[in-house]
Amino acid sequence: MPTSDDTGAPRWSVLIPTWNGRHLLEEALDGLDGQALQDFEVVVVDDGSDDDTVAWMRAQRPADRVVVLPNQRGLAAALNQGLEVARGKYIALLNNDAVPEPGWLAALDQAFATAPDASFLASRILLYDDPSRLHAAGDTFGRNGLPANRGVWQRDSPIYREPCDVFGACAAASAYRRELFDDVGVFDEDLVMYCEDVDLDWRAQMAGHRCRYVPDAVVRHRLSATAGGPIASYLVARNRPLVAVMNMPGFLWRRGWWRIAWAQLKLMVAALRAIQGRAARATLAGQLASIAHLPRAWSKRSRRQRSRRVADAYIDALLER
């Protein structure tokens, strides 16, 4: 079993952001208690909850660290606050609605040891209520400007039991070398939540950091148990085009701008057809809101594209056709 370094710092820091998630936390933390690898600290970041999360943590889990934000600032900000205080050599992110299998952290640790060229890792994330199906086996990104979870809703078949390089990691259960954040920065708080992990995937890949899918790192995930519904529809619809504008290199836009526009148009038409539903109306509002955020996204794009270290061919090979 790995041991702490000479400074007394743990090998791993496991960050759990939470908002009014007291009813979910206990099972997630129990899953961490049962890990085969025990050289880690737990950092729970409470994002301005008004339930009893903080009091419960301090009474029942005094050995775990709790970071309290006075007001709700969103998932990206909560993760960044956790990163500020994390002491581990490696950083693992775990949603409060995700439950890790006992070998989860050990598998991630082994993957970093055997894949020195990988800077971040994706877990095999199964549906909590139907663990025969996948939520994510890494993240993908299409030439149409839309991100996706690899294998989402599919049966957990042998094809997803093989390690491989992937575009990125779903932050519901992911791992990073600390140096990655030192190099490319932390999560973009302008995105609030949803697609903030995809944005980090892009920045990391453009800087030459590779992502490895680790099928033995298994987590069961309750989808959107903390923040779903119309707010999720709104933020996903708003953030997807912003992530594409900020990160997709010019050659992809020149070659396939029509794909990106067509994908957004199809999403809009689908929402219009279901306009009586709250989620559909939130999707349309999110697409409209993305336009107002384009100037800021464009200013970030200029900086990111200037600092890109990898060739067009490398990025082209990463994307889903």
Side-chain angles (χ1 to χ4, degrees):
M1 180 182 295
T3 56
S4 302
D5 63 24
D6 293 339
T7 67
R11 183 172 178 84
W12 283 85
S13 293
V14 181
L15 309 186
I16 304 179
T18 188
W19 175 73
N20 288 345
R22 158 68 188 89
H23 60 295
L24 300 167
L25 269 176
E26 188 166 2
E27 192 172 5
L29 293 168
D30 285 346
L32 290 177
D33 289 343
Q35 290 298 296
L37 187 157
Q38 282 289 310
D39 190 5
F40 64 89
E41 65 173 353
V42 174
V43 181
V44 171
V45 184
D46 185 82
D47 187 23
S49 296
D50 54 19
D51 65 3
D52 65 341
T53 294
V54 174
W56 180 83
M57 284 292 304
R58 289 175 173 165
Q60 302 297 324
R61 310 278 306 193
D64 295 335
R65 306 173 71 194
V66 182
V67 177
V68 182
L69 305 186
N71 302 298
Q72 186 184 14
R73 294 176 53 191
L75 178 64
L79 289 172
N80 290 344
Q81 290 295 307
L83 288 170
E84 282 192 15
V85 304
R87 299 178 297 150
K89 176 180 180 181
Y90 303 120
I91 307 293
L93 307 184
L94 185 69
N95 273 18
N96 65 358
D97 54 5
V99 181
E101 294 295 313
W104 174 63
L105 203 58
L108 295 173
D109 194 79
Q110 179 67 16
F112 273 142
T114 57
D117 61 337
S119 297
F120 58 129
L121 306 173
S123 302
R124 178 158 57 101
I125 306 176
L126 308 176
L127 299 179
Y128 182 90
D129 293 323
D130 183 4
S132 69
R133 293 188 181 275
L134 285 158
H135 172 219
D139 278 351
T140 65
F141 200 92
R143 286 171 171 76
N144 61 359
L146 298 181
N149 298 130
R150 177 173 172 260
V152 65
W153 315 133
Q154 295 182 22
R155 289 285 179 187
D156 184 21
S157 63
I159 190 174
Y160 298 115
R161 304 294 180 90
E162 296 296 325
C164 60
D165 288 342
V166 291
F167 173 77
C170 174
S174 54
Y176 307 83
R177 297 185 192 272
R178 179 179 289 278
E179 293 80 10
L180 182 146
F181 297 106
D182 295 336
D183 186 26
V184 305
V186 294
F187 293 95
D188 188 335
E189 296 184 17
D190 288 342
L191 296 174
V192 185
M193 59 182 171
Y194 294 104
C195 298
E196 79 293 330
D197 49 358
V198 179
D199 178 68
L200 181 67
D201 294 341
W202 262 112
R203 286 184 280 133
Q205 288 286 1
M206 288 195 293
H209 295 278
R210 299 197 175 197
C211 184
R212 189 77 173 162
Y213 168 59
V214 186
D216 291 337
V218 181
V219 166
R220 292 177 294 122
H221 185 209
R222 294 182 178 94
L223 298 186
S224 299
T226 294
I231 186 62
S233 298
Y234 172 84
L235 288 171
V236 168
R238 189 197 72 168
N239 290 346
R240 281 186 300 204
L242 297 178
V243 169
V245 166
M246 289 190 291
N247 296 295
M248 292 182 74
F251 81 92
L252 290 173
W253 283 95
R254 291 189 295 272
R255 197 166 64 191
W257 62 268
W258 57 273
R259 285 194 197 95
I260 301 167
W262 180 243
Q264 290 296 320
L265 180 61
K266 286 198 297 183
L267 292 169
M268 182 181 296
V269 170
L272 286 169
R273 287 174 175 169
I275 193 65
Q276 296 303 316
R278 294 175 63 203
R281 295 196 298 272
T283 293
L284 291 170
Q287 286 184 306
L288 183 63
S290 69
I291 297 172
H293 287 79
L294 282 176
R296 185 165 175 79
W298 186 260
S299 68
K300 294 179 183 180
R301 171 187 176 78
S302 299
R303 296 193 299 272
R304 295 180 185 191
Q305 298 305 317
R306 285 196 302 268
S307 62
R308 177 158 65 101
R309 300 174 194 154
V310 296
D312 289 356
Y314 174 80
I315 292 176
D316 197 38
L318 280 174
L319 302 190
E320 286 285 297
R321 295 187 182 277

